[in-house]
Amino acid sequence: MISLRSLFSQQLAPLLGLDIGNSSVKLVELGQDKDARLVVEACAVLPLETGWIKDGNIEKFEEVADAVRRLIKISGTKTKNVVMALPPSSVITKKIVLPGGMTDQELEMQVESEANQYIPFPLDEVSLDFCILGPSPSSKGDIDVLIAASRREKVQDMQGLAEAAGLKPMVVDVKSYASRLAASRLIADMPDLSADSIVALFEVGSLTTSMQVICNDEVLYDRDQAFGGAQLTQLIVLQYGFSYEEAETKKCRGELPPDYEATVLNPFIESLVQEISRALQFFFTSTTYNKVDLVMLAGGSAGLPGLTAMVTKYSGFRCMVANPFKGMRIAETVGKKKLALEASSYLTACGLALRRFLQ
């Protein structure tokens, strides 16, 4: 079984959510005040150089470990316990039905036996875990169990990176699970959405846009598209002749030429909207559904001016940008203005930090 305690472990002690992406590392620490209101205790982001992380694999270990150390210093946190996550492509998940009433040992043995059917490599090369979801609605007396498995080397890379940065790895999660946890909190607090509302969550990353369609915390459909914010940076490079790093810096600081919006930004937004609309159509043609109640955008490009309005115009569905910190109190040590601008990019990191409060 997995050596880090659990892929689905639950922590009440102070805990950092650390999201390691292709282009940046992000950190979130959440606490609670005396009124049980969530508090953003620490929050920070640090860019990574191109190629340090590739397809979820750590290619430059020492450089990334140093970036995490600097991120911790920037954030000001003293917490050492950390929860991290692997990309969905690195984790095999499967929901199975097992007989109820088994002991923990019997359940573990049964899970390992079932896992052999779904995992295409030897179990001794795997970090395997499971979570009981509850009574099976389709089989009386049985239980639904979620199995999660990843190559052990992937988990050990995460563990080693945390330890190299002076942290204590407690949980290895799945990125899509973490972002869904943060999004579900927002959905639950929206009075105009019913219990059976269907929400299409799009996370626009640097290289990939991930889509999850959620209903009652269940995933109806998911899909990844090779389109992200890095393409906007590349368009800036082609238009103005900057280096990639210079273009990324100027994009983030808003220091681009006067014609940037018309010649570069607007065409990129149109392309992004087309990708989102195409993904929704794939969902409709692949399932029995023909509408969603809300399109929710997250990621570094989610807050681009006019994006939500254009998504609504072309898709016909209401669209909003996800702010995972909505309803939370922001500690005085956290820069509120910067956080407000970047909030949607912290969805996964916030979901990881929320693991602390799962009961």
Side-chain angles (χ1 to χ4, degrees):
M1 298 296 287
I2 189 168
S3 60
L4 300 191
R5 192 166 177 182
S6 175
L7 279 167
F8 300 99
S9 202
Q10 300 162 1
Q11 302 296 321
L12 294 179
L15 188 68
L16 299 176
L18 183 64
D19 176 21
I20 299 174
N22 287 319
S23 62
S24 67
V25 286
K26 302 180 185 75
L27 177 151
V28 171
E29 181 179 6
L30 300 177
Q32 245 178 352
D33 62 20
K34 60 183 180 180
D35 299 318
R37 184 183 180 189
L38 292 172
V39 180
V40 183
E41 302 281 7
C43 188
V45 59
L46 199 66
L48 298 178
E49 289 191 20
T50 303
W52 285 8
I53 303 286
K54 189 174 182 181
D55 299 326
N57 298 314
I58 304 168
E59 301 291 339
K60 298 288 185 179
F61 185 90
E62 292 300 330
E63 288 84 347
V64 176
D66 181 63
V68 175
R69 284 191 288 267
R70 286 185 283 129
L71 180 70
I72 294 165
K73 186 175 181 180
I74 291 168
S75 74
T77 183
K78 302 299 180 184
T79 296
K80 298 299 182 184
N81 291 347
V82 64
V83 53
M84 307 162 81
L86 292 167
S89 59
S90 297
V91 184
I92 298 170
T93 58
K94 181 71 177 178
K95 186 164 73 172
I96 61 174
V97 179
L98 294 177
M102 287 192 290
T103 66
D104 290 347
Q105 187 175 6
E106 289 171 337
L107 191 57
E108 280 194 22
M109 291 176 64
Q110 190 65 37
V111 165
E112 288 195 10
S113 176
E114 292 284 333
N116 271 316
Q117 302 177 42
Y118 306 109
I119 299 171
F121 25 80
L123 283 184
D124 59 4
E125 298 176 8
V126 170
S127 288
L128 174 68
D129 195 33
F130 65 92
C131 173
I132 300 173
L133 300 177
S136 175
S138 60
S139 182
K140 188 175 180 181
D142 293 338
I143 55 175
D144 283 344
V145 176
L146 182 65
I147 297 175
S150 178
R151 296 295 291 261
R152 183 167 286 128
E153 63 198 48
K154 301 281 187 182
V155 176
Q156 288 173 342
D157 281 350
M158 289 285 108
Q159 182 181 14
L161 183 66
E163 291 171 348
L167 299 173
K168 183 179 180 182
M170 304 300 292
V171 182
V172 175
D173 205 334
V174 185
K175 285 196 175 195
S176 57
Y177 284 48
S179 59
R180 192 159 70 245
L181 177 63
S184 294
R185 172 184 165 272
L186 300 178
I187 294 166
D189 286 339
M190 298 180 71
D192 55 337
L193 291 180
S194 67
D196 296 322
S197 293
I198 299 173
V199 177
L201 171 64
F202 287 88
E203 294 177 84
V204 187
S206 61
L207 300 175
T208 304
T209 295
S210 300
M211 173 193 188
Q212 298 184 75
V213 183
I214 308 165
C215 180
N216 294 322
D217 292 336
E218 292 286 330
V219 178
L220 303 178
Y221 178 87
D222 57 24
R223 175 185 171 85
D224 286 349
Q225 291 165 274
F227 189 93
Q231 288 180 246
L232 176 57
T233 306
Q234 193 61 46
L235 289 173
I236 295 170
V237 170
L238 294 172
Q239 181 69 23
Y240 302 113
F242 301 137
S243 68
Y244 188 89
E245 290 73 19
E246 190 179 9
E248 184 69 23
T249 300
K250 288 181 179 292
K251 180 180 78 171
C252 294
R253 293 179 179 174
E255 298 174 348
L256 289 158
D259 67 342
Y260 162 68
E261 185 173 328
T263 59
V264 178
L265 181 59
N266 289 344
F268 172 80
I269 291 174
E270 289 176 9
S271 296
L272 178 54
V273 171
Q274 289 174 6
E275 293 290 334
I276 291 170
S277 299
R278 189 176 295 121
L280 287 168
Q281 288 306 313
F282 273 121
F283 166 59
F284 299 142
T285 56
S286 303
T287 68
T288 58
Y289 300 93
N290 57 18
K291 72 177 185 69
V292 297
D293 297 288
L294 176 69
V295 176
M296 185 180 286
L297 305 180
S301 298
L304 291 174
L307 177 58
T308 55
M310 193 175 290
V311 169
T312 297
K313 178 182 177 181
Y314 282 90
S315 71
F317 305 115
R318 181 162 67 104
C319 181
M320 63 168 281
V321 175
N323 176 4
F325 305 118
K326 185 179 179 182
M328 299 184 187
R329 182 168 63 80
I330 313 299
E332 295 298 324
T333 52
V334 177
K336 294 181 177 62
K337 286 186 178 180
K338 190 171 186 294
L339 185 61
L341 292 173
E342 300 174 344
S344 67
S345 66
Y346 283 100
L347 188 74
T348 298
C350 186
L352 294 172
L354 283 168
R355 284 284 177 199
R356 176 181 179 182
F357 304 104
L358 290 182
Q359 298 299 321

